[in-house]
Amino acid sequence: MTAPVQPPATPDLLYSQDEEDLRSAVRALLADRAAAPTVIAATESDTPYDPQLWASLAGSIGAAGLLVPEKLGGQGASHREAAVVLEELGRSVAPAPYLTSSVVATETLLALAGEDGPAAALLRELASGARTAVLAVPFATPPAGPGPALGPLGGTVRGVADARAADVLLVPTSEGLYAVEASDPAVAVEPLVPLDLTRPLASVTLTGAAGSPLADAGASAAAVRRGLLAGAGLLASEQLGIAEWCLTETVRYTRERRQFNRPVGSFQALKHRMAQLWLEVVSARAAARNAADALATGSPDAPLAVAVAQAYCSGVAVHAAEECVQLHGGIGMTWEHPAHLYLKRAKADSLAYGTAGSHRQAVAELAELPAP
Amino acid sequence: MKPATDAAELRRRTRDLLAAHPPATTGRTDFLRARFDAGLAWVHYPVGLGGLDAPRSLQQVVDAELAAAGAPDNDPRRIGIGLGMAAPTILGFGTDEQKRRFLRPLWVGEEVWCQLFSEPGAGSDLAALATRAVQDETGDWIVDGQKVWTSSAHLARWAILIARTDPDQPKHRGISYFICDMTDPGVEVRPLRQITGEAEFNEVFLTGVRIPDSHRLGPVGEGWKVALTTLMNERVSIGGSRIPREGGMIGPVARTWRERPELRTPDTHQRLLELWVEAEVARLTGERLRQQLVAGQPGPEGSGMKLAFARLNQEISGLEVELLGDEGLLYGDWTMVRPELVDFTGRDAGYRYLRSKGNSIEGGTSEVLLNIVAERVLGLPAEPRNDKDAAWKDLSR
C-alpha cells in the first residue's frame, strides 16, 4: 500500500468545438428566457419552472437526451456535453429539472435499460423532454450513502429536489426500484420552503401507490449509486458555472464602483481576493472537466475523480458567492440584485449529493489514505 | 540547408547524428557540440544557432530518440538560468556576434550563467535598482553596486546584468542590460546562508567591474524592455511536463501516512485529505494548461500555477513536520553546504518545510503575482502610483 492509484488514461480536460457550440446555444436561450429579474419573479410565483424554457432546452436543443443513446431516442452524447449544459445552468441559476431528471434519473435508468422494457420506455420519454422524472431520495444523499429506508411504496421522503416538476418518481425501496406516476392519487408532493429558491424541494409521501417495478433490490442499489455518482460529478460543473458568474460580475462591478475617489477594484486588498477566486475557478474547471471526462469514458477512476471534484468545487462556488455578496457591499444584500440567488444555490449545492466532507471520506477510501 | 519541419525529418537527422557520433565512443562535450551544430539542440532556434527553425513542440521527438539511444544530455537543471533566461534574451536582443559567441557554450554547458538582477533595495520593485554603470572615455562601462539572491554565481562564467545608466531618467527608462564577465577582478561572490542552513544563493559585490560596450544587450537606456523578456521566460517553464498523481510534495506525506499507521490522528487525517484533494486539483489544472498549450490555445492559468504550488507546498510540508511527531522536532543537518541543485524530495520534512517558504518569494512574490492576475487577467485597475514618471534620483530609497 505504498503507491498511489494512477488514473488509467490521461483525461481530455479541454472543450471540443461541438461542446462550445452547445454552450452558445444554451447560453443564448438562457439569456433570452432566464434573465435575473425573470428568475427572481418566478421564484415568488406559484410556477417556479418555465415550461417554454424547458421545452426549448430539452426538446429543441436536445439537452435532455444527451446521455441517452440514439437507439433510445437520445443524442448519444456524453457527460462531457451534459457538463457544459450544467455550467450554463449554474451561470444563470434558472429553475430547470435538468440535473435531477436529465442526469440523475436518466443515469439511474441507463443502468437498467436494455433495448426495451419499462426503463427503456421511460428513457425515451425523458430523452425527448416530453416527461421528467426524479429519483425519490433526499437531495443531500451522497453516492456512497446508505440504501433506502422506504418499505414497499409506503412512507415519506423529505427534501426531494424538483419533485414538483416531475411526471414520474423513481422510488428505491427495500424491494427494488419502482416507477411511480406523480399523478397517482396515492402520491402526495408537499412543497417545502427551500434555502435555494431556484431549485424547489418537496416532501414525497407514498401511501400504497401503484408502481411499475424497474429492478430488484440489488440492481436498484447499483443503479441508484450510478445515478447519484453522475449527479455528484456533474454538479461540479454547475458549481463552476456559479463561481464563474460570481467572479465575472464582481470584477465588473468593482471596476465601475468608485469610493475614496478610485474604482474599488483598484485596491490591492480587493484585487488579491478576486485573483485568488480566479485561481480557484480555473482549478475548479480542471476538476469538473476531469470528473465529466471520467464519467463519459466509463473510467475506473470515475469515483475518485467525482469525489475530488465535489470535495473541491463545492467550496469554490460558496466562496465565490460569498465574496460576490461582500464585494458588492449593501447592494449585494438586496433582493433585487441576483447575488443572493447564487449564494443560495451555491450553499444548497454544497450539501447536494454529499457534502465536501463526505466526498473527502470517499477520497480516503479510494486513494488509500485510511482514517486512524 | 532547408529547415526541417516535420517529425520524420527530425527523427532522420537525429539518427544521422547518432550514427556519426555514437554516444558510446564519443566524449560528452564533443557529442553535445555535434548535436548543437546539427541543429538538434533546441529545434525552434534559428539554423546555425543550434536549431532548425522547427516548431518548438517537435523537440520532444529529438529528445525521445536521444534518450532511447542513451545519449548524454546537457544537464538542463544545472544550467537552467542560461537556458531559460539568458539564451532567449540573447536570441531576442543580441548582435549576430553575441549570438555566435555565447549560445553554443551556454547550451553545451561549458559556460554556466547566472543572473544579476535583484538587489538588497530592489526585490519586487526591481526597476528601483541602484547598481550604476558609467561609460568611460574608452567606451567601456564601469559597474559598481551589489546584487543578491544570485543562484550559481560561484559556478558561473557569465552573468546577465541590469544596471542604472541614467539616474536622471524615470526608473524604468534609465536602465541598460549587459553581459558581465564573472572572472573580472571587480566581481566578488559571497555565499548567502539561508533559513535551511544551506547556501544555494550568493551575494555579488561589483566594484569597478569593466564591461566592454560590445557586451551590452539592446540599446542604452532600454534595458528594462530587455529584462522583461528575460523575466517572461523565467515563468514559461511551468506546465511543460506531465506530473503523475501524488507527483509533488504530497507524495512523501501520503507514503508516510500509508506506511506508518501509528502516526495517524483524526486531525491530521482531515488536513491530509483536504491537501490531497487540492494537490490533485492543482495537478489537473497544470495538466489542463499543458493540453491548452499543445492545442495552441495557451491560457493565462500559468500565472496562477506558481501561486497554487507555493501555498500547497508550504501547507503540505507544515503538516508533514507535525505528522511526524517526535521526529518532527529533529532536523537532518545544519552544516552549511552549497548544493548545485535544489532537491525537495531527497531531504527530510524539516528541510522541505523551511525551503518551501521561499516558494512564495522567489521568481515573483505571491503578492506580486496576485496583482499580475488581477490586472492582466481580470482587467482590474492598477493602484495609483507616484514613482513612474519621477526621475530615479529623486525617489526616496
Side-chain angles (χ1 to χ4, degrees):
Chain A
M1 213 172 69
T2 54
V5 187
Q6 294 295 330
T10 304
D12 175 3
L13 302 176
L14 305 182
Y15 298 101
S16 69
Q17 190 53 52
D18 284 351
E19 287 163 11
E20 291 296 356
D21 293 346
L22 174 65
R23 180 197 303 287
S24 301
V26 175
R27 190 179 291 191
L29 171 69
L30 292 169
D32 188 34
R33 294 217 59 95
T38 313
V39 173
I40 294 174
T43 60
E44 295 175 287
S45 73
D46 197 38
T47 51
Y49 304 99
D50 173 354
Q52 258 183 289
L53 168 65
W54 181 250
S56 303
L57 179 69
S60 312
I61 293 179
L66 286 172
L67 296 180
V68 180
E70 286 176 50
K71 64 178 193 289
L72 293 177
Q75 306 293 316
S78 78
H79 304 75
R80 294 176 53 88
E81 288 80 5
V84 169
V85 174
L86 279 162
E87 281 181 31
E88 295 306 312
L89 284 169
R91 204 195 300 273
S92 78
V93 292
Y98 187 80
L99 180 65
T100 46
S101 180
S102 307
V103 176
V104 176
T106 296
E107 187 82 14
T108 304
L109 292 168
L110 281 169
L112 306 169
E115 293 285 330
D116 43 36
L122 189 48
L123 271 172
R124 284 182 189 278
E125 295 179 333
L126 298 191
S128 71
R131 303 227 296 165
T132 63
V134 298
L135 186 62
V137 299
F139 193 37
T141 310
L150 279 188
L153 297 183
T156 297
V157 189
R158 287 182 63 84
V160 180
D162 294 333
R164 269 184 81 194
D167 302 299
V168 180
L169 304 166
L170 303 183
V171 185
T173 72
S174 47
E175 310 286 297
L177 187 68
Y178 291 83
V180 176
E181 291 293 321
S183 57
D184 186 322
V187 174
V189 176
E190 284 296 321
L192 301 168
V193 179
L195 172 67
D196 171 14
L197 293 158
T198 61
R199 183 133 53 205
L201 299 175
S203 272
V204 174
T205 301
L206 305 171
T207 42
S212 11
L214 296 170
D216 63 23
S220 167
V224 168
R225 258 199 310 280
R226 176 168 157 185
L228 292 175
L229 187 70
L234 297 195
L235 178 63
S237 291
E238 179 174 301
Q239 288 163 329
L240 167 65
I242 294 168
E244 266 210 305
W245 184 91
C246 290
L247 174 60
T248 306
E249 272 309 293
T250 306
V251 167
R252 191 187 61 71
Y253 178 76
T254 57
R255 282 169 65 175
E256 288 168 8
R257 168 77 170 172
R258 294 179 72 86
Q259 298 274 270
F260 309 101
N261 198 33
R262 290 162 60 175
V264 297
S266 71
F267 286 91
Q268 179 164 271
L270 270 56
K271 286 159 75 172
H272 284 191
R273 283 164 66 170
M274 287 184 268
Q276 177 60 37
L277 269 186
W278 172 83
L279 181 56
E280 290 176 28
V281 168
V282 298
S283 304
R285 185 183 309 285
R289 278 274 92 186
N290 184 51
D293 191 70
L295 288 165
T297 57
S299 167
D301 202 43
L304 183 53
V306 168
V308 165
Q310 267 304 293
Y312 188 79
C313 297
S314 286
V316 172
V318 171
H319 184 210
E322 288 177 346
E323 290 287 71
C324 179
V325 169
Q326 174 65 22
L327 298 187
H328 275 78
I331 288 168
M333 283 300 289
T334 63
W335 191 262
E336 63 258 47
H337 193 281
H340 67 97
L341 298 178
Y342 290 83
L343 179 64
K344 292 163 186 170
R345 172 69 73 88
K347 194 67 187 173
D349 276 2
S350 75
L351 277 70
Y353 305 130
T355 59
S358 77
H359 287 284
R360 280 195 292 272
Q361 295 314 310
V363 168
E365 294 227 341
L366 296 162
E368 299 185 358
L369 299 165
Chain B
M1 188 161 54
K2 184 176 158 289
T5 50
D6 67 14
E9 169 74 1
L10 283 175
R11 206 167 285 125
R12 191 187 61 69
R13 284 172 182 263
T14 308
R15 287 176 186 166
D16 289 350
L17 169 75
L18 287 164
H21 306 271
T25 53
T26 311
R28 181 172 181 276
T29 303
D30 286 341
F31 181 85
L32 292 171
R33 285 179 184 157
R35 178 177 164 188
F36 187 93
D37 295 339
L40 299 169
W42 32 34
V43 297
H44 59 292
Y45 267 49
V47 174
L49 295 174
L52 294 166
D53 285 314
R56 192 179 189 140
S57 56
L58 290 180
Q59 183 69 46
Q60 53 193 0
V61 174
V62 176
D63 292 348
E65 285 286 323
L66 291 174
D73 75 12
N74 58 342
D75 205 352
R77 287 183 64 201
R78 206 175 61 86
I79 57 170
I81 292 167
L83 290 176
M85 303 177 79
T89 314
I90 292 169
L91 184 68
F93 290 90
T95 61
D96 287 346
E97 201 192 327
Q98 287 168 344
K99 293 177 200 171
R100 273 195 306 276
R101 163 63 187 86
F102 291 114
L103 288 176
R104 188 168 110 155
L106 181 159
W107 186 86
V108 171
E110 295 168 279
E111 291 180 347
V112 173
W113 286 68
C114 68
Q115 183 230 56
L116 297 174
F117 281 19
S118 294
E119 298 187 3
S124 289
D125 186 8
L126 183 58
L129 60 90
T131 291
R132 290 292 313 276
V134 179
Q135 208 164 15
D136 74 2
E137 64 287 351
T138 70
D140 287 355
W141 296 87
I142 310 301
V143 181
D144 289 278
Q146 185 194 342
K147 297 287 180 175
V148 73
W149 302 120
T150 317
S151 313
S152 306
H154 55 299
L155 307 169
R157 174 68 181 82
W158 298 103
I160 43 178
L161 163 76
I162 45 178
R164 186 156 308 281
T165 44
D166 188 350
D168 293 325
Q169 290 279 338
K171 64 182 183 179
H172 292 93
R173 275 179 263 153
I175 293 171
S176 301
Y177 197 118
F178 301 96
I179 293 169
C180 174
D181 184 343
M182 292 297 284
T183 66
D184 188 282
V187 175
E188 189 201 343
V189 176
R190 295 184 200 162
L192 181 61
R193 197 175 185 200
Q194 71 220 50
I195 194 167
T196 57
E198 299 191 333
E200 282 168 49
F201 304 103
N202 300 277
E203 297 179 290
V204 178
F205 295 83
L206 306 165
T207 313
V209 175
R210 184 171 287 273
I211 297 179
D213 194 48
S214 61
H215 282 187
R216 176 166 45 77
L217 274 177
V220 173
E222 293 190 21
W224 183 250
K225 224 180 281 174
V226 184
L228 287 181
T229 301
T230 311
L231 296 172
M232 234 109 84
N233 278 287
E234 183 179 16
R235 290 176 201 142
V236 159
S237 57
I238 302 176
S241 60
R242 208 160 245 163
I243 307 173
R245 182 172 281 162
E246 293 187 12
M249 289 259 248
I250 195 75
V253 199
R255 274 195 296 282
T256 303
W257 186 269
R258 294 185 185 114
E259 287 164 8
R260 303 188 53 189
E262 78 281 5
L263 297 175
R264 298 172 190 164
T265 68
D267 166 56
T268 47
H269 191 228
Q270 289 311 311
R271 287 157 62 198
L272 175 68
L273 290 175
E274 267 182 51
L275 291 170
W276 195 94
V277 166
E278 286 182 32
E280 172 71 355
V281 172
R283 181 185 77 83
L284 290 166
T285 310
E287 172 61 22
R288 189 171 138 81
L289 172 66
R290 202 192 60 78
Q291 291 181 10
Q292 284 177 297
L293 290 172
V294 170
Q297 323 153 349
E301 282 85 344
S303 9
M305 293 312 293
K306 180 177 179 291
L307 280 165
F309 282 117
R311 190 186 58 78
L312 263 173
N313 285 350
Q314 292 171 358
E315 292 194 15
I316 292 169
S317 59
L319 171 65
E320 190 182 10
V321 170
E322 210 178 313
L323 175 65
L324 286 171
D326 294 347
E327 285 166 53
L329 293 169
L330 306 177
Y331 191 80
D333 186 4
W334 290 114
T335 313
M336 190 184 99
V337 289
R338 312 213 62 190
E340 281 202 18
L341 292 173
V342 183
D343 184 5
F344 275 68
T345 49
R347 301 290 302 270
D348 57 89
Y351 171 85
R352 278 195 279 279
Y353 173 70
L354 295 172
R355 181 59 186 84
S356 66
K357 294 296 165 227
N359 292 169
S360 52
I361 302 169
E362 58 201 349
T365 63
S366 291
E367 288 71 20
V368 165
L369 290 178
L370 286 167
N371 282 343
I372 290 173
V373 168
E375 289 171 21
R376 300 201 196 144
V377 180
L378 298 178
L380 287 163
E383 293 221 42
R385 294 175 63 163
N386 61 13
D387 63 334
K388 276 202 155 166
D389 299 319
W392 176 81
K393 64 180 170 55
D394 298 330
L395 297 176
S396 61
R397 274 188 298 286

